[in-house]
Short mmCIF file of all heavy atoms in Angstrom, two decimals:
data_model
loop_
_atom_site.label_atom_id
_atom_site.label_comp_id
_atom_site.label_asym_id
_atom_site.label_seq_id
_atom_site.Cartn_x
_atom_site.Cartn_y
_atom_site.Cartn_z
N ALA A 21 -1.73 -1.54 -24.46
CA ALA A 21 -2.52 -1.99 -23.23
C ALA A 21 -1.55 -2.48 -22.18
O ALA A 21 -1.69 -2.28 -21.01
CB ALA A 21 -3.55 -2.99 -23.67
N GLN A 22 -0.58 -3.28 -22.67
CA GLN A 22 0.40 -3.82 -21.67
C GLN A 22 1.19 -2.72 -20.96
O GLN A 22 1.42 -2.73 -19.80
CB GLN A 22 1.35 -4.79 -22.40
CG GLN A 22 2.28 -5.57 -21.43
CD GLN A 22 3.13 -6.57 -22.21
OE1 GLN A 22 3.31 -6.45 -23.43
NE2 GLN A 22 3.51 -7.59 -21.57
N ARG A 23 1.70 -1.72 -21.87
CA ARG A 23 2.43 -0.66 -21.26
C ARG A 23 1.48 0.20 -20.27
O ARG A 23 1.97 0.58 -19.28
CB ARG A 23 2.95 0.29 -22.35
CG ARG A 23 4.11 -0.33 -23.19
CD ARG A 23 4.80 0.74 -23.96
NE ARG A 23 3.99 1.56 -24.78
CZ ARG A 23 3.63 1.25 -26.03
NH1 ARG A 23 4.12 0.12 -26.61
NH2 ARG A 23 2.83 2.04 -26.73
N SER A 24 0.26 0.41 -20.75
CA SER A 24 -0.63 1.15 -19.90
C SER A 24 -0.92 0.42 -18.61
O SER A 24 -0.96 1.03 -17.56
CB SER A 24 -1.94 1.41 -20.68
OG SER A 24 -1.76 2.17 -21.84
N GLY A 25 -1.11 -0.90 -18.69
CA GLY A 25 -1.34 -1.70 -17.46
C GLY A 25 -0.21 -1.64 -16.51
O GLY A 25 -0.36 -1.49 -15.32
N GLN A 26 1.00 -1.71 -17.09
CA GLN A 26 2.26 -1.67 -16.23
C GLN A 26 2.39 -0.26 -15.60
O GLN A 26 2.76 -0.19 -14.49
CB GLN A 26 3.46 -1.98 -17.09
CG GLN A 26 4.72 -2.09 -16.24
CD GLN A 26 4.67 -3.15 -15.22
OE1 GLN A 26 4.26 -4.28 -15.46
NE2 GLN A 26 5.00 -2.76 -13.96
N GLN A 27 2.02 0.75 -16.40
CA GLN A 27 2.07 2.09 -15.85
C GLN A 27 1.12 2.32 -14.73
O GLN A 27 1.43 2.97 -13.71
CB GLN A 27 1.75 3.11 -16.96
CG GLN A 27 2.86 3.26 -18.03
CD GLN A 27 2.49 4.14 -19.19
OE1 GLN A 27 1.31 4.48 -19.35
NE2 GLN A 27 3.42 4.43 -20.05
N VAL A 28 -0.08 1.73 -14.86
CA VAL A 28 -1.09 1.73 -13.76
C VAL A 28 -0.52 1.08 -12.56
O VAL A 28 -0.63 1.58 -11.37
CB VAL A 28 -2.40 1.16 -14.21
CG1 VAL A 28 -3.38 0.98 -13.02
CG2 VAL A 28 -3.11 1.98 -15.30
N LYS A 29 0.05 -0.01 -12.74
CA LYS A 29 0.64 -0.81 -11.58
C LYS A 29 1.76 -0.05 -10.90
O LYS A 29 1.82 0.00 -9.70
CB LYS A 29 1.19 -2.18 -12.04
CG LYS A 29 0.10 -3.17 -12.49
CD LYS A 29 0.72 -4.50 -12.95
CE LYS A 29 -0.32 -5.42 -13.48
NZ LYS A 29 0.25 -6.63 -13.98
N ASP A 30 2.63 0.56 -11.76
CA ASP A 30 3.73 1.35 -11.24
C ASP A 30 3.23 2.55 -10.45
O ASP A 30 3.72 2.92 -9.32
CB ASP A 30 4.62 1.86 -12.32
CG ASP A 30 5.37 0.65 -12.95
OD1 ASP A 30 5.47 -0.43 -12.39
OD2 ASP A 30 5.90 0.86 -14.06
N ALA A 31 2.15 3.22 -10.95
CA ALA A 31 1.58 4.38 -10.33
C ALA A 31 0.95 3.92 -8.99
O ALA A 31 1.09 4.69 -7.99
CB ALA A 31 0.55 5.04 -11.16
N LYS A 32 0.24 2.83 -8.95
CA LYS A 32 -0.43 2.38 -7.73
C LYS A 32 0.64 2.04 -6.68
O LYS A 32 0.43 2.31 -5.51
CB LYS A 32 -1.25 1.16 -8.07
CG LYS A 32 -2.06 0.61 -6.88
CD LYS A 32 -2.93 -0.56 -7.19
CE LYS A 32 -4.15 -0.14 -8.00
NZ LYS A 32 -5.11 -1.27 -8.23
N LYS A 33 1.74 1.35 -7.09
CA LYS A 33 2.73 1.01 -6.09
C LYS A 33 3.33 2.26 -5.55
O LYS A 33 3.59 2.36 -4.38
CB LYS A 33 3.79 0.16 -6.82
CG LYS A 33 4.92 -0.35 -5.81
CD LYS A 33 5.91 -1.22 -6.55
CE LYS A 33 6.88 -1.80 -5.50
NZ LYS A 33 7.54 -0.76 -4.71
N ALA A 34 3.66 3.29 -6.39
CA ALA A 34 4.19 4.51 -5.93
C ALA A 34 3.29 5.19 -4.91
O ALA A 34 3.75 5.74 -3.86
CB ALA A 34 4.54 5.40 -7.07
N LEU A 35 1.95 5.17 -5.15
CA LEU A 35 1.01 5.72 -4.29
C LEU A 35 0.99 4.96 -2.93
O LEU A 35 1.04 5.58 -1.90
CB LEU A 35 -0.42 5.64 -4.89
CG LEU A 35 -1.48 6.33 -4.11
CD1 LEU A 35 -1.28 7.84 -4.03
CD2 LEU A 35 -2.85 6.07 -4.84
N TYR A 36 0.93 3.66 -3.01
CA TYR A 36 0.90 2.82 -1.76
C TYR A 36 2.16 3.03 -0.93
O TYR A 36 2.09 2.86 0.30
CB TYR A 36 0.71 1.36 -2.14
CG TYR A 36 -0.71 0.94 -2.25
CD1 TYR A 36 -1.62 1.62 -3.17
CD2 TYR A 36 -1.25 -0.11 -1.49
CE1 TYR A 36 -2.87 1.29 -3.27
CE2 TYR A 36 -2.55 -0.51 -1.58
CZ TYR A 36 -3.36 0.17 -2.54
OH TYR A 36 -4.72 -0.17 -2.64
N ASP A 37 3.24 3.32 -1.59
CA ASP A 37 4.47 3.51 -0.81
C ASP A 37 4.71 4.93 -0.32
O ASP A 37 5.68 5.16 0.47
CB ASP A 37 5.74 3.14 -1.73
CG ASP A 37 5.79 1.66 -2.08
OD1 ASP A 37 5.19 0.87 -1.36
OD2 ASP A 37 6.44 1.33 -3.07
N ASP A 38 3.87 5.79 -0.64
CA ASP A 38 3.96 7.21 -0.22
C ASP A 38 3.55 7.36 1.23
O ASP A 38 2.38 7.09 1.60
CB ASP A 38 3.10 8.10 -1.17
CG ASP A 38 3.18 9.55 -0.65
OD1 ASP A 38 4.30 10.11 -0.78
OD2 ASP A 38 2.18 10.11 -0.25
N PRO A 39 4.43 7.79 2.11
CA PRO A 39 4.09 7.90 3.56
C PRO A 39 2.89 8.80 3.86
O PRO A 39 2.06 8.52 4.69
CB PRO A 39 5.40 8.43 4.20
CG PRO A 39 6.47 8.03 3.21
CD PRO A 39 5.84 8.14 1.87
N LYS A 40 2.80 9.91 3.11
CA LYS A 40 1.71 10.87 3.30
C LYS A 40 0.41 10.19 3.00
O LYS A 40 -0.59 10.30 3.71
CB LYS A 40 1.95 12.13 2.53
CG LYS A 40 0.92 13.20 2.71
CD LYS A 40 1.26 14.49 1.99
CE LYS A 40 0.32 15.66 2.24
NZ LYS A 40 -1.01 15.38 1.67
N TRP A 41 0.29 9.53 1.81
CA TRP A 41 -0.93 8.90 1.39
C TRP A 41 -1.27 7.79 2.36
O TRP A 41 -2.50 7.64 2.74
CB TRP A 41 -0.67 8.25 0.00
CG TRP A 41 -1.98 7.66 -0.55
CD1 TRP A 41 -2.95 8.22 -1.22
CD2 TRP A 41 -2.31 6.31 -0.40
NE1 TRP A 41 -3.95 7.34 -1.56
CE2 TRP A 41 -3.59 6.12 -1.08
CE3 TRP A 41 -1.74 5.16 0.22
CZ2 TRP A 41 -4.24 4.91 -1.15
CZ3 TRP A 41 -2.40 3.94 0.17
CH2 TRP A 41 -3.62 3.83 -0.52
N ARG A 42 -0.35 7.03 2.91
CA ARG A 42 -0.63 5.94 3.80
C ARG A 42 -1.17 6.45 5.13
O ARG A 42 -2.09 5.86 5.67
CB ARG A 42 0.72 5.12 4.08
CG ARG A 42 1.23 4.37 2.87
CD ARG A 42 2.50 3.61 3.18
NE ARG A 42 2.18 2.47 4.11
CZ ARG A 42 1.82 1.28 3.69
NH1 ARG A 42 1.66 1.05 2.41
NH2 ARG A 42 1.65 0.29 4.58
N LYS A 43 -0.63 7.60 5.54
CA LYS A 43 -1.16 8.17 6.75
C LYS A 43 -2.64 8.69 6.55
O LYS A 43 -3.47 8.48 7.47
CB LYS A 43 -0.29 9.34 7.22
CG LYS A 43 -0.54 9.86 8.65
CD LYS A 43 0.30 9.12 9.65
CE LYS A 43 0.17 9.84 10.98
NZ LYS A 43 0.93 9.10 12.01
N GLU A 44 -2.83 9.34 5.50
CA GLU A 44 -4.14 9.93 5.22
C GLU A 44 -5.18 8.89 4.95
O GLU A 44 -6.38 9.14 5.19
CB GLU A 44 -4.07 10.85 3.98
CG GLU A 44 -3.27 12.13 4.20
CD GLU A 44 -3.11 12.91 2.97
OE1 GLU A 44 -3.40 12.36 1.83
OE2 GLU A 44 -2.66 14.13 3.03
N ASN A 45 -4.78 7.70 4.56
CA ASN A 45 -5.76 6.64 4.33
C ASN A 45 -5.76 5.48 5.24
O ASN A 45 -6.20 4.44 4.97
CB ASN A 45 -5.53 6.11 2.81
CG ASN A 45 -5.97 7.08 1.82
OD1 ASN A 45 -7.10 7.19 1.44
ND2 ASN A 45 -5.00 7.92 1.33
N TYR A 46 -5.11 5.75 6.41
CA TYR A 46 -5.14 4.81 7.57
C TYR A 46 -4.57 3.36 7.15
O TYR A 46 -5.16 2.38 7.57
CB TYR A 46 -6.57 4.66 8.09
CG TYR A 46 -7.39 5.85 8.10
CD1 TYR A 46 -8.63 5.95 7.58
CD2 TYR A 46 -6.96 7.01 8.76
CE1 TYR A 46 -9.42 7.09 7.62
CE2 TYR A 46 -7.68 8.13 8.83
CZ TYR A 46 -8.94 8.17 8.26
OH TYR A 46 -9.70 9.31 8.29
N ILE A 47 -3.49 3.36 6.46
CA ILE A 47 -2.95 2.07 6.02
C ILE A 47 -2.15 1.42 7.14
O ILE A 47 -1.31 2.03 7.76
CB ILE A 47 -2.06 2.30 4.80
CG1 ILE A 47 -2.84 3.04 3.67
CG2 ILE A 47 -1.52 0.95 4.26
CD1 ILE A 47 -4.09 2.31 3.20
N ILE A 48 -2.39 0.16 7.28
CA ILE A 48 -1.66 -0.74 8.17
C ILE A 48 -0.94 -1.83 7.33
O ILE A 48 -1.65 -2.47 6.52
CB ILE A 48 -2.53 -1.37 9.27
CG1 ILE A 48 -3.27 -0.34 10.11
CG2 ILE A 48 -1.71 -2.36 10.17
CD1 ILE A 48 -2.38 0.39 11.03
N ASN A 49 0.36 -1.98 7.47
CA ASN A 49 1.02 -3.00 6.71
C ASN A 49 0.44 -4.39 6.87
O ASN A 49 0.22 -4.84 8.03
CB ASN A 49 2.55 -2.99 7.14
CG ASN A 49 3.29 -4.00 6.34
OD1 ASN A 49 3.45 -5.11 6.72
ND2 ASN A 49 3.90 -3.54 5.23
N ARG A 50 0.20 -5.00 5.80
CA ARG A 50 -0.44 -6.37 5.85
C ARG A 50 0.37 -7.42 6.56
O ARG A 50 -0.09 -8.25 7.33
CB ARG A 50 -0.89 -6.83 4.47
CG ARG A 50 -1.85 -8.02 4.48
CD ARG A 50 -2.03 -8.66 3.20
NE ARG A 50 -2.84 -9.87 3.42
CZ ARG A 50 -2.48 -11.01 3.95
NH1 ARG A 50 -1.25 -11.10 4.36
NH2 ARG A 50 -3.35 -11.94 4.09
N ASP A 51 1.63 -7.47 6.21
CA ASP A 51 2.53 -8.48 6.83
C ASP A 51 2.60 -8.29 8.33
O ASP A 51 2.62 -9.28 9.12
CB ASP A 51 3.97 -8.33 6.27
CG ASP A 51 3.98 -8.86 4.79
OD1 ASP A 51 3.05 -9.51 4.37
OD2 ASP A 51 4.97 -8.52 4.05
N SER A 52 2.62 -7.02 8.76
CA SER A 52 2.70 -6.71 10.21
C SER A 52 1.37 -7.15 10.87
O SER A 52 1.39 -7.74 11.98
CB SER A 52 2.82 -5.18 10.45
OG SER A 52 4.05 -4.73 9.95
N ALA A 53 0.25 -7.02 10.12
CA ALA A 53 -1.09 -7.46 10.62
C ALA A 53 -1.15 -8.95 10.82
O ALA A 53 -1.71 -9.48 11.74
CB ALA A 53 -2.17 -6.94 9.73
N TYR A 54 -0.53 -9.64 9.84
CA TYR A 54 -0.47 -11.12 9.95
C TYR A 54 0.36 -11.59 11.06
O TYR A 54 0.08 -12.56 11.74
CB TYR A 54 -0.04 -11.68 8.61
CG TYR A 54 0.13 -13.20 8.65
CD1 TYR A 54 -1.00 -14.03 8.63
CD2 TYR A 54 1.41 -13.87 8.73
CE1 TYR A 54 -0.86 -15.40 8.62
CE2 TYR A 54 1.48 -15.22 8.76
CZ TYR A 54 0.33 -15.93 8.71
OH TYR A 54 0.44 -17.39 8.80
N ALA A 55 1.44 -10.91 11.38
CA ALA A 55 2.40 -11.32 12.42
C ALA A 55 1.95 -10.97 13.76
O ALA A 55 2.38 -11.57 14.81
CB ALA A 55 3.74 -10.72 12.11
N ASN A 56 1.09 -9.94 13.92
CA ASN A 56 0.72 -9.47 15.29
C ASN A 56 -0.77 -9.21 15.29
O ASN A 56 -1.35 -8.34 14.61
CB ASN A 56 1.47 -8.07 15.51
CG ASN A 56 1.25 -7.50 16.90
OD1 ASN A 56 0.13 -7.59 17.37
ND2 ASN A 56 2.21 -6.81 17.33
N PRO A 57 -1.52 -9.83 16.22
CA PRO A 57 -2.95 -9.74 16.28
C PRO A 57 -3.41 -8.33 16.66
O PRO A 57 -4.55 -7.85 16.28
CB PRO A 57 -3.38 -10.74 17.36
CG PRO A 57 -2.19 -10.95 18.11
CD PRO A 57 -1.02 -10.84 17.28
N TYR A 58 -2.63 -7.57 17.45
CA TYR A 58 -3.01 -6.24 17.78
C TYR A 58 -2.87 -5.26 16.57
O TYR A 58 -3.70 -4.34 16.44
CB TYR A 58 -2.11 -5.81 18.97
CG TYR A 58 -2.48 -6.50 20.21
CD1 TYR A 58 -1.81 -7.65 20.62
CD2 TYR A 58 -3.50 -6.09 21.06
CE1 TYR A 58 -2.08 -8.34 21.72
CE2 TYR A 58 -3.86 -6.81 22.19
CZ TYR A 58 -3.15 -7.95 22.56
OH TYR A 58 -3.45 -8.62 23.73
N TYR A 59 -1.92 -5.56 15.70
CA TYR A 59 -1.83 -4.77 14.51
C TYR A 59 -2.98 -5.19 13.49
O TYR A 59 -3.50 -4.32 12.80
CB TYR A 59 -0.49 -4.97 13.80
CG TYR A 59 0.75 -4.54 14.58
CD1 TYR A 59 2.04 -4.93 14.20
CD2 TYR A 59 0.58 -3.64 15.62
CE1 TYR A 59 3.09 -4.49 14.90
CE2 TYR A 59 1.67 -3.19 16.35
CZ TYR A 59 2.96 -3.60 16.01
OH TYR A 59 4.06 -3.22 16.64
N ALA A 60 -3.37 -6.45 13.53
CA ALA A 60 -4.41 -6.93 12.71
C ALA A 60 -5.71 -6.21 13.21
O ALA A 60 -6.51 -5.81 12.30
CB ALA A 60 -4.58 -8.44 12.89
#
């Protein structure tokens, strides 16, 4: 279960870091949104 959980986390991180996926899902970086109200 621990290995499976870590694998899920690793897969999710890889997905979130993928530029194509981020573009297709309208992702805005959270740190940028906190720093800039227009990005928020």
Side-chain angles (χ1 to χ4, degrees):
Q22 187 175 23
R23 290 198 306 272
S24 297
Q26 187 59 50
Q27 288 172 351
V28 169
K29 290 178 184 177
D30 292 344
K32 182 179 287 188
K33 184 178 186 306
L35 183 65
Y36 272 56
D37 290 342
D38 179 63
K40 183 174 183 292
W41 183 88
R42 293 180 69 84
K43 190 91 171 178
E44 290 174 345
N45 289 276
Y46 320 128
I47 304 300
I48 300 288
N49 181 272
R50 191 192 178 284
D51 291 341
S52 298
Y54 177 73
N56 183 326
Y58 291 91
Y59 295 166

